[in-house]
Amino acid sequence: MVKREPAGASALAAGGQAAAATAGVQLSRRRWVVLLLFSSYSLCNGFQWIQYGSINNIFARFYGVSAFAIDWLSMSYMLTYIPLLFPVAWLLDKRGLRLIALVGSALNALGAWVKLGSLKPHLFPITVLGQVICSLSQVFILGMPSRIASVWFGSREVSTACSIAVFGNQLGIATGFLVPPVLVPNVDDAEKLAYHISIMFFMTAGVATALFILVVIVFKEKPLHPPSRAQALIQSRPTQEYSYMQSILRLFRNANFVLLMLTYGLNTGCFYALSTLLNRMVIHHYPREEVNAGRIGLTIILSGMAGALISGVWLDRTKTYKQTTLAVYIMSLVGMIAYTFTLSLGHLWVVFVTAGMLGFFMTGYLPLGFEFAAELTYPESEGTSSGLLNVSAQIFGIAFTIGQGQIMDHFGTKAGNLFLCAFLLLGTIMTAFIKADLRRQQANLGNEQTKVMPEACTDPIVLEESKL
């Protein structure tokens, strides 16, 4: 008698560990509360980033400093992020989401309260200190969307969740364009101006403090059960197998990710420069239109949020990461060209239309980059990959803001915007060379097959007689 093993026995052995790891996949109801809370304190931090830049001329006159000095209040967010990314990403990997959320929301509230000590024209250094503290908070926020989406949400909703997480910061920037011109009118009396500024600062500090308290009470590290098979495999991996430095080295050896990191930096850097300098551009062509300058900024962000949501839903349905990213990049370039050549026409309604088109694609690109990176780099930490994308964005953001500002001062706003168009064209060409190596999707599909395999391999062992 000779024993013949079933054809699926080796597959069963290979898939046993994966099947065991994915057995407890289940979605948590708390996931939407966690996402909303994160988006809320991210909104508050985004508001504090642009609240000076959206009324640049008013703050420059109040503190008696140059417009470039006010620009640096926005650029401080970019500057502090670069050296602190790796320590915070390491902390995220070692200590998890809850600690990062607590520190980020606490620094956001602290910075808001410090700014209340800068309500005199000679106290500009205090407002700088408060803004730097808020910029430290941002380091604990920007790398979180893709991580929260992966840890809390299933594979069919992870891109949408990431888009909503990015929404918070974008909505905060939109609010930062809309509210400061309304709360802080362009008046000549310094005492009245200080009073209006104090109202804005008090409101911000109150909201930031309430959100910090909610984070302490509500925000949890992770759900009881993994929400996807890909996440279950990551959680089942032994701790000693993971090396943070080796992860970073693997990311830099991933050619597709490096290309994405550069193209993401070019696109988002253009967005940072445009947002920081928007007030100066609009006021140059439309004097004393601070409120409409803020509304144009609001239009850019709100249309971008719509674009991000549509892109997220589209990705969850089609998984066409490369094609969608390239299409959005091309349209960002088209939108920037349209905005460049309509800004000086003298018709504000035209600027609103072209700015909305630009925002729909340029701002809508932000969550696409996070999700594409998560696909290209799985199973590496989403916090590390998105952090590297943000470092690239901060570096290009500083360079583009300074460069475009200097070009605007010497050659006008059109030349400054054409400067950004050139780099968006470069980013579009580079995006075309990224290969769609969707590793996270392959992991989810592979484990679905693993889960089905035991049913297909349950044939009894067959015994055959052999002739002696």
Side-chain angles (χ1 to χ4, degrees):
M1 303 285 288
V2 178
K3 180 187 290 187
R4 187 179 69 190
E5 293 185 354
S10 59
L12 269 173
Q17 183 179 358
T22 60
V25 171
Q26 183 179 334
L27 292 176
S28 168
R29 294 180 181 178
R30 184 185 285 266
R31 68 191 188 280
W32 295 109
V33 177
V34 170
L35 184 64
L36 177 62
L37 184 55
F38 167 78
S39 296
S40 298
Y41 75 79
S42 179
L43 181 155
C44 186
N45 187 256
F47 173 84
Q48 296 198 76
W49 170 57
I50 204 65
Q51 67 180 160
Y52 295 99
S54 62
I55 47 174
N56 183 298
N57 58 321
I58 296 176
F59 273 111
R61 190 179 76 251
F62 177 73
Y63 287 116
V65 297
S66 66
F68 186 61
I70 301 299
D71 289 342
W72 269 109
L73 290 175
S74 296
M75 287 190 285
S76 66
Y77 267 58
M78 310 174 202
L79 191 63
T80 55
Y81 189 89
I82 298 169
L84 293 177
L85 159 70
F86 292 114
V88 173
W90 176 86
L91 198 61
L92 176 61
D93 285 331
K94 294 297 182 182
R95 299 298 299 274
L97 286 171
R98 177 171 167 79
L99 177 65
I100 298 300
L102 287 171
V103 175
S105 57
L107 288 172
N108 188 53
L110 177 61
W113 285 108
V114 169
K115 290 177 184 179
L116 280 165
S118 65
L119 297 175
K120 299 289 183 181
H122 66 282
L123 294 176
F124 182 67
I126 303 299
T127 215
V128 171
L129 175 62
Q131 187 73 344
V132 168
I133 294 173
C134 291
S135 73
L136 295 177
S137 169
Q138 177 222 211
V139 184
F140 292 83
I141 292 173
L142 283 189
M144 294 270 279
S146 59
R147 183 63 173 266
I148 288 177
S150 293
V151 169
W152 282 90
F153 288 83
S155 60
R156 295 180 182 274
E157 56 191 14
V158 65
S159 296
T160 303
C162 184
S163 297
I164 295 173
V166 173
F167 274 4
N169 200 261
Q170 298 306 304
L171 186 58
I173 297 171
T175 309
F177 277 120
L178 178 66
V179 173
V182 175
L183 292 181
V184 187
N186 192 358
V187 297
D188 295 327
D189 189 292
E191 290 188 4
K192 288 184 178 179
L193 195 55
Y195 170 74
H196 291 299
I197 293 173
S198 71
I199 292 175
M200 180 173 68
F201 284 172
F202 267 116
M203 289 174 60
T204 307
V207 171
T209 303
L211 289 170
F212 169 66
I213 294 171
L214 285 174
V215 169
V216 173
I217 298 171
V218 175
F219 202 99
K220 300 298 181 185
E221 174 62 35
K222 61 182 180 181
L224 292 176
H225 304 283
S228 68
R229 296 179 179 87
Q231 191 61 213
L233 285 174
I234 291 176
Q235 293 182 14
S236 67
R237 181 177 58 189
T239 306
Q240 61 268 26
E241 287 185 11
Y242 181 77
S243 168
Y244 180 69
M245 290 307 300
Q246 287 298 318
S247 175
I248 294 174
L249 292 175
R250 285 192 296 270
L251 289 176
F252 278 110
R253 287 196 293 263
N254 185 331
N256 292 317
F257 174 73
V258 172
L259 274 175
L260 179 63
M261 184 172 67
L262 292 173
T263 57
Y264 183 90
L266 290 170
N267 190 299
T268 311
C270 288
F271 166 71
Y272 287 161
L274 182 70
S275 300
T276 302
L277 301 173
L278 182 64
N279 172 267
R280 289 171 59 183
M281 283 190 276
V282 174
I283 296 301
H284 176 77
H285 294 287
Y286 307 92
R288 300 192 73 84
E289 288 284 359
E290 291 87 3
V291 173
N292 274 321
R295 289 172 179 168
I296 291 171
L298 176 69
T299 302
I300 291 174
I301 302 302
L302 291 182
S303 59
M305 290 172 62
L309 180 59
I310 293 170
S311 298
V313 173
W314 174 259
L315 287 182
D316 278 332
R317 291 180 178 272
T318 67
K319 308 302 181 186
T320 53
Y321 289 86
K322 163 70 179 292
Q323 298 92 323
T324 305
T325 300
L326 180 59
V328 169
Y329 218 117
I330 292 171
M331 293 308 299
S332 296
L333 172 60
V334 172
M336 189 69 209
I337 293 172
Y339 172 79
T340 298
F341 288 98
T342 57
L343 180 62
S344 58
L345 293 180
H347 302 289
L348 265 174
W349 70 268
V350 177
V351 180
F352 272 96
V353 172
T354 54
M357 174 186 172
L358 171 62
F360 184 86
F361 295 104
M362 180 177 280
T363 312
Y365 172 82
L366 303 183
L368 284 179
F370 285 148
E371 280 302 289
F372 199 11
E375 291 291 339
L376 293 174
T377 61
Y378 178 86
E380 308 298 343
S381 167
E382 296 87 357
T384 306
S385 61
S386 59
L388 288 172
L389 292 186
N390 283 320
V391 163
S392 177
Q394 313 306 323
I395 292 172
F396 283 113
I398 292 172
F400 289 168
T401 302
I402 295 174
Q404 187 185 14
Q406 293 299 310
I407 292 172
M408 285 169 51
D409 290 341
H410 293 87
F411 303 102
T413 57
K414 183 175 291 185
N417 286 326
L418 286 173
F419 168 77
L420 298 185
C421 289
F423 284 101
L424 284 175
L425 175 60
L426 175 62
T428 301
I429 295 171
M430 293 173 67
T431 300
F433 288 95
I434 301 175
K435 295 180 180 178
D437 180 17
L438 307 182
R439 301 179 180 181
R440 185 171 64 181
Q441 290 306 311
Q442 292 168 5
N444 279 320
L445 290 173
N447 283 294
E448 285 177 3
Q449 295 169 0
T450 299
K451 187 177 180 180
V452 174
M453 194 177 298
E455 299 177 3
C457 300
T458 55
D459 295 336
I461 294 174
V462 178
L463 298 178
E464 289 186 345
E465 289 186 357
S466 93
K467 295 181 181 179
L468 297 176

